[in-house]
């Protein structure tokens, strides 16, 4: 019963004025057809009429409107079998009316034919003349064109005003209106704070904002003011929009939701007009919440890269938003929530206190939060309960956002269904992680024996170097089965660090160069297979030198601009001489780690060969395989998740 009570009432069909117009037209047509089809005389033609005339069956002919002849038979003729049908129709529908009727051509010729037959056959026929008018038909022919024109005009005007015509031209009369979707007590929003796992700090602040609007007296009695707005900032997929949906579901106040791009239009002044209309609607329903997703579409810093007024319209929209949020005549009962992953490009005037009083940072989830997110996304899945350990899965997915975890759960369900299973198990989740991180396996890809050998030694080089280094990430799995765009892959489980030291970064770079170093040691040749490794180490080395100030030659300097405005500068923030030093130091760091990787592999050449041969044989190896060859890892840390026992070859 409770379930039935919560179900939204079925939508009633909308009444349209077009039904009235259609009914009127159908009535006119029906009356016209009825009057012409029923109660009328039987149809005949001129030849048959002349035969009736020669036989003496015709008593009278009435010419109507000089086009139609109505034929009246004699009483003797009506008794004939050939006229029985006409006599029956006349009796049922129009007693006393004509028996036949037909259309003829020229009236003069018709009269001459009658006179000629009368003379030749010695018959006497009365010919009369009448004028008749079709009342309903005339009205219909008069009003129908007018009704059609009015109907077309109403249709066009409605399409133009509602924007159903699509594009800018379809909204000509409604173009300055806000496109915000309204969620209130009448709207069934199923998302609540229970559906938002992790993000405890962000949830607390957002809940507080909802409480401001529900119980404003609690805060205003102490002299406090309700905040004007809150900005949700964080990487993509961390749950910013989900938090806003939860606010819409929890708040018992009107909630206006729209995207930053909804303000953008090809016409001048539309964005500012929509901002005004949005806040007007919110003030009418205050207290209310406005949520603007991807606010960086209109909130970018003004005056940057503005060539020949190209961004004037966007700036006008931003100016209007600034005025509405904190200007004369603003209503304090409207709170603005906004979300962006590009807070660095937003205008400083928008970010100041009094507009966005709070910045809520929604970061990537840690292990504990990932566990909670897994629990939320596992609810709808049919799963093997004893196999799915959310804590284990949380440890297997470092750096994953909430959206990534949702994707993992969905992918696991698809993999289980593909294998014909009745429930989702642990191995399905591990396969899903592998697929998302590494890509789809391509076992049918054609690889020559030489290429396969080179790939095996490349991946074995990564595994060997990372195994021998203290700060390199622990190995989980190595494969030479092509996945996605890569010909081989190695899975590591990196530590979740809040700060990174130089020796940790150098060890990671050395492990990344292990693949190319192995090719050099074993074949004295290098290949293009190290592209992704080179990209990774180059970025790390550049960050060490130019961002984090971890290089002795460059010193404690950083060329990082947290405001995000450096992208608009045409000049580098350092001199050409400094640029040469930076390039030299970056190259020096990478080459040093490359030589270091070669030395490690030279010392363990026999074990490297053994590992590569095992890879060529099994195609997939795990942590326990390395332990058999190298022994226990020299720098093994307690507390890290053990994965070898649960990962297996597909």
């Amino acid at each position: 019963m409770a379930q039935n009570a919560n179900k939204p009432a079925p939508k009633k069909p909308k009444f349209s004025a077009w039904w009235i117009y259609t009914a009127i037209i159908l009535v006119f047509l029906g009356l016209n057809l009825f009057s012409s089809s029923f109660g009328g005389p039987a149809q005949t033609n001129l030849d048959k009429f002349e035969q009736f005339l020669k036989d003496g069956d015709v008593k009278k002919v009435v010419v109507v409107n000089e086009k139609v002849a109505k034929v009246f038979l004699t009483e003797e003729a009506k008794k004939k079998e050939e006229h029985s049908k006409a006599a029956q129709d006349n009796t049922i529908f129009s007693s006393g009316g004509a028996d036949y009727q037909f259309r003829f051509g020229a009236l003069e010729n018709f009269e001459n034919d009658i006179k000629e037959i009368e003379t030749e056959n010695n018959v006497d026929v009365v010919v009369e003349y009448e004028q008749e008018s079709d009342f309903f038909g005339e009205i219909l022919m008069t009003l129908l064109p007018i009704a059609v024109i009015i109907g077309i005009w109403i249709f066009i005007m409605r399409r133009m005003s509602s924007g159903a015509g699509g594009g800018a031209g379809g909204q000509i009369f409604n173009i300055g209106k806000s496109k915000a979707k309204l969620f209130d007590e009448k709207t069934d929003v199923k998302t609540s704070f229970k559906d938002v796992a992790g993000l405890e700090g962000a949830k607390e602040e957002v809940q507080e904002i909802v409480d401001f609007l529900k119980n404003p007296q609690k805060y205003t009695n102490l002299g406090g003011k309700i905040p004007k707005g809150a900005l949700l900032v964080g990487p993509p997929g961390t749950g910013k929009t989900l938090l806003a949906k939860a606010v819409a579901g929890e708040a018992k106040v009107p909630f206006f939701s729209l995207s930053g791009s909804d303000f953008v239009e090809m016409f001048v002044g539309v964005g500012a007009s929509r901002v005004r209309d949005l806040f007007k609607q919110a003030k009418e329903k205050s207290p209310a919440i406005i949520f603007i997703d991807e606010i960086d579409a209109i909130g970018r810093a003004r005056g940057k890269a503005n060539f020949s007024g190209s961004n004037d319209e966007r700036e006008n929209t931003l100016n209007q938003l600034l005025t509405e949020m904190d200007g004369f005549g603003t209503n304090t009962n409207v709170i603005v929530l906004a979300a962006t992953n590009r807070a660095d490009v937003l205008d400083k005037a928008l970010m100041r206190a009094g507009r966005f009083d709070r910045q809520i940072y929604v970061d990537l989830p840690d292990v504990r939060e990932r566990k909670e997110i897994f629990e939320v996304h596992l609810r709808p899945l049919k799963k093997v309960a004893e196999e799915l350990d959310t804590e284990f899965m949380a440890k297997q997915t470092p750096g994953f956002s909430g959206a990534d975890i949702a994707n993992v759960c969905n992918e696991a369900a698809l993999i289980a269904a593909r294998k014909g299973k009745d429930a989702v198990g642990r191995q399905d989740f591990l396969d899903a992680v592998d697929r998302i991180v590494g890509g789809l396996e391509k076992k049918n890809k054609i690889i020559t024996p030489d290429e396969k050998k080179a790939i095996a030694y490349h991946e074995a080089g990564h595994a060997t170097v990372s195994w021998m280094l203290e700060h390199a990430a622990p190995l989980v799995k190595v494969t030479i089965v092509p996945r996605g765009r890569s010909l081989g892959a190695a899975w590591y489980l990196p530590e979740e660090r809040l700060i990174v030291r130089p020796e940790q970064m150098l060890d990671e770079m050395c492990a990344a160069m292990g693949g190319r170093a192995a090719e050099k040691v074993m074949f004295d040749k290098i290949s293009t297979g190290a592209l992704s490794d080179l990209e990774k180490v180059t970025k790390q080395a550049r960050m060490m030198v130019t961002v984090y100030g971890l290089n002795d030659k460059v010193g404690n300097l950083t060329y990082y601009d947290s405001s995000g405005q450096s992208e608009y500068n045409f000049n580098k923030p350092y001199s050409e001489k400094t640029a040469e030093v930076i390039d030299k130091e970056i190259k020096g760091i990478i080459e040093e780690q490359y030589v270091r990787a070669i030395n490690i592999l030279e010392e363990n050449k026999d074990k490297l060969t053994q590992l590569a041969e095992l890879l060529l044989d099994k195609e997939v190896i795990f942590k326990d395989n390395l332990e058999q060859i190298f022994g226990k890892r020299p720098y093994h840390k307690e507390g890290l998740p053990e994965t070898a026992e649960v990962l297996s070859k597909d």
Side-chain angles (χ1 to χ4, degrees):
M1 293 294 291
Q3 290 180 351
N4 294 333
N6 294 330
K7 286 184 179 178
K11 292 184 178 179
K12 297 180 179 178
K14 292 183 179 179
F15 181 77
S16 176
W18 290 103
W19 290 109
I20 299 174
Y21 307 147
T22 305
I24 293 171
I25 292 171
L26 289 175
V27 167
F28 273 111
L29 289 172
L31 290 172
N32 193 44
L33 290 171
F34 184 85
S35 62
S36 61
S37 301
F38 297 101
Q43 296 292 325
T44 187
N45 53 45
L46 183 60
D47 293 337
K48 288 183 179 180
F49 166 73
E50 290 179 352
Q51 187 60 46
F52 299 159
L53 202 58
K54 290 175 182 177
D55 296 341
D57 296 341
V58 181
K59 176 183 177 183
K60 182 174 69 171
V61 178
V62 178
V63 179
V64 181
N65 299 336
E66 299 183 357
K67 293 179 180 179
V68 179
K70 292 185 177 182
V71 182
F72 294 80
L73 301 177
T74 63
E75 294 299 325
E76 292 82 8
K78 291 180 181 179
K79 297 176 183 178
K80 293 183 179 180
E81 188 177 350
E82 61 180 311
H83 301 302
S84 60
K85 180 75 167 57
Q88 186 180 2
D89 293 344
N90 192 15
T91 303
I92 295 173
F93 294 105
S94 57
S95 180
D99 297 288
Y100 293 100
Q101 74 175 17
F102 64 93
R103 298 181 72 87
F104 55 84
L107 179 62
E108 187 178 352
N109 294 339
F110 180 65
E111 291 173 336
N112 292 334
D113 291 341
I114 293 175
K115 289 177 181 177
E116 188 178 337
I117 293 171
E118 283 180 330
T119 306
E120 290 178 357
N121 295 276
N122 195 22
V123 293
D124 188 20
V125 179
V126 178
V127 181
E128 297 178 356
Y129 299 90
E130 291 182 359
Q131 293 289 329
E132 290 183 0
S133 59
D134 185 4
F135 179 73
F136 290 110
E138 289 180 1
I139 291 177
L140 184 64
M141 294 305 295
T142 304
L143 296 181
L144 187 61
I146 299 172
V148 169
I149 292 170
I150 292 173
I152 292 172
W153 182 79
I154 292 172
F155 176 76
I156 292 172
M157 295 303 288
R158 284 188 175 181
R159 295 276 288 185
M160 293 174 72
S161 62
S162 64
Q171 310 166 10
I172 197 71
F173 294 104
N174 206 24
I175 195 166
K177 300 293 182 182
S178 169
K179 293 184 176 181
K181 293 180 182 177
L182 173 61
F183 300 92
D184 52 16
E185 65 277 358
K186 300 175 185 177
T187 312
D188 185 23
V189 182
K190 297 179 180 178
T191 307
S192 65
F193 285 124
K194 293 179 182 177
D195 301 313
V196 183
L199 311 177
E200 294 303 326
K203 262 199 307 188
E204 188 178 335
E205 292 207 49
V206 171
Q207 282 176 314
E208 198 173 72
I209 289 170
V210 175
D211 193 46
F212 281 148
L213 294 176
K214 285 185 177 179
N215 308 300
Q217 298 289 335
K218 180 180 173 183
Y219 303 92
T220 54
N221 287 341
L222 300 175
K225 293 180 180 179
I226 296 174
K228 296 286 180 60
L231 184 66
L232 301 170
V233 183
T238 50
K240 299 184 294 295
T241 307
L242 182 65
L243 267 175
K245 287 181 180 178
V247 172
E250 293 280 347
K252 303 302 179 187
V253 297
F255 185 92
F256 295 85
S257 174
L258 76 167
S259 171
S261 60
D262 289 336
F263 296 105
V264 181
E265 197 62 78
M266 65 179 289
F267 299 114
V268 177
V270 170
S273 176
R274 286 179 179 172
V275 171
R276 283 193 295 270
D277 186 65
L278 172 64
F279 278 85
K280 181 185 175 185
Q281 291 180 39
K283 288 172 186 176
E284 289 172 355
K285 293 183 177 287
S286 64
I289 297 174
I290 295 172
F291 174 62
I292 306 173
D293 203 3
E294 308 296 345
I295 196 173
D296 51 280
I298 59 167
R300 284 178 175 264
R302 294 164 291 178
K304 303 293 184 180
N306 185 9
F307 302 107
S308 58
S310 59
N311 286 332
D312 279 349
E313 179 58 21
R314 182 181 56 75
E315 290 189 4
N316 290 340
T317 306
L318 176 57
N319 289 337
Q320 187 63 44
L321 180 63
L322 296 175
T323 304
E324 292 289 347
M325 287 188 70
D326 189 24
F328 289 104
T330 54
N331 196 324
T332 55
N333 289 330
V334 177
I335 290 180
V336 181
L337 284 180
T340 181
N341 53 5
R342 296 291 311 279
D344 54 326
V345 302
L346 294 179
D347 196 277
K348 290 181 179 178
L350 189 65
M351 302 284 285
R352 77 159 175 83
R355 290 195 175 104
F356 285 114
D357 301 280
R358 302 184 173 195
Q359 289 189 37
I360 304 170
Y361 192 71
V362 186
D363 204 356
L364 289 170
D366 56 22
V367 177
R368 179 181 52 81
E369 290 174 333
R370 288 200 299 274
K371 182 176 180 292
E372 294 176 10
I373 296 169
F374 264 114
E375 288 171 356
V376 168
H377 291 295
L378 286 175
R379 284 177 199 164
L381 295 187
K382 189 178 179 181
K383 50 195 176 290
V384 183
E386 63 273 9
E387 285 192 13
L388 293 183
D389 181 8
T390 53
E391 188 172 350
F392 169 80
M393 289 187 291
K395 290 177 179 177
Q396 294 298 306
T397 51
F400 277 43
S401 66
D404 294 330
I405 292 172
N407 191 24
V408 167
C409 294
N410 184 61
E411 193 66 43
L414 297 180
I415 290 171
R418 200 177 299 122
K419 293 178 180 177
K421 295 183 178 180
D422 297 327
V424 184
R426 176 180 285 190
Q427 189 58 46
D428 300 318
F429 274 92
L430 294 171
D431 292 342
V433 173
D434 289 351
R435 182 165 182 176
I436 290 169
V437 174
L440 181 65
E441 278 193 352
K442 298 179 180 178
K443 293 183 178 180
N444 58 347
K445 197 173 185 107
I446 300 172
I447 301 174
T448 64
D450 287 343
E451 288 177 334
K452 194 172 183 179
K453 188 176 180 182
I455 296 166
Y457 275 98
H458 183 101
E459 299 303 332
H462 284 305
T464 302
V465 176
S466 65
W467 191 264
M468 304 307 294
L469 295 175
E470 180 180 0
H471 302 293
L475 182 79
V476 174
K477 174 181 175 182
V478 184
T479 178
I480 57 171
V481 178
R483 280 183 174 270
R485 296 176 62 184
S486 62
L487 299 174
W491 276 261
Y492 301 93
L493 206 59
E495 292 182 40
E496 296 184 61
R497 306 179 181 122
L498 296 177
I499 58 171
V500 184
R501 303 189 186 282
E503 59 269 19
Q504 294 169 337
M505 295 183 76
L506 292 173
D507 280 4
E508 288 176 3
M509 291 167 66
C510 185
M513 295 301 293
R516 170 160 283 192
E519 293 181 45
K520 181 70 175 175
V521 169
M522 299 306 302
F523 310 114
D524 199 25
K525 295 178 183 176
I526 56 176
S527 67
T528 59
L531 174 60
S532 60
D533 303 327
L534 294 175
E535 183 183 6
K536 177 185 174 182
V537 297
T538 304
K539 284 182 179 177
Q540 283 183 310
R542 186 170 295 280
M543 294 285 281
M544 286 182 68
V545 176
T546 62
V547 176
Y548 297 122
L550 300 177
N551 182 261
D552 295 333
K553 264 295 178 58
V554 176
N556 298 316
L557 296 176
T558 182
Y559 301 106
Y560 174 68
D561 185 8
S562 61
S563 67
Q565 305 305 318
S566 59
E567 60 186 85
Y568 301 111
N569 296 331
F570 293 104
N571 299 321
K572 294 178 181 177
Y574 43 78
S575 66
E576 290 297 326
K577 188 177 179 180
T578 306
E580 290 179 9
V581 175
I582 290 171
D583 291 341
K584 187 178 178 182
E585 289 302 307
I586 291 172
K587 185 179 179 182
I589 291 170
I590 296 171
E591 292 301 323
E592 184 183 343
Q593 298 310 312
Y594 178 56
V595 172
R596 185 184 173 197
I598 289 175
N599 293 334
I600 292 171
L601 293 174
E602 288 282 5
E603 293 172 6
N604 301 274
K605 194 172 181 179
D606 54 337
K607 295 177 181 178
L608 171 67
T609 305
Q610 194 178 344
L611 187 60
E613 294 297 331
L614 187 64
L615 257 177
L616 287 168
D617 180 37
K618 292 188 174 182
E619 292 190 331
V620 181
I621 60 173
F622 305 97
K623 179 182 175 182
D624 54 351
N625 299 117
L626 268 78
E627 285 185 352
Q628 291 172 6
I629 297 172
F630 293 94
K632 271 288 188 185
R633 191 165 182 244
Y635 308 101
H636 176 70
K637 296 179 182 178
E638 298 296 330
L640 291 175
E642 299 289 333
T643 59
E645 59 191 42
V646 295
L647 284 167
S648 62
K649 185 179 177 182
D650 295 339

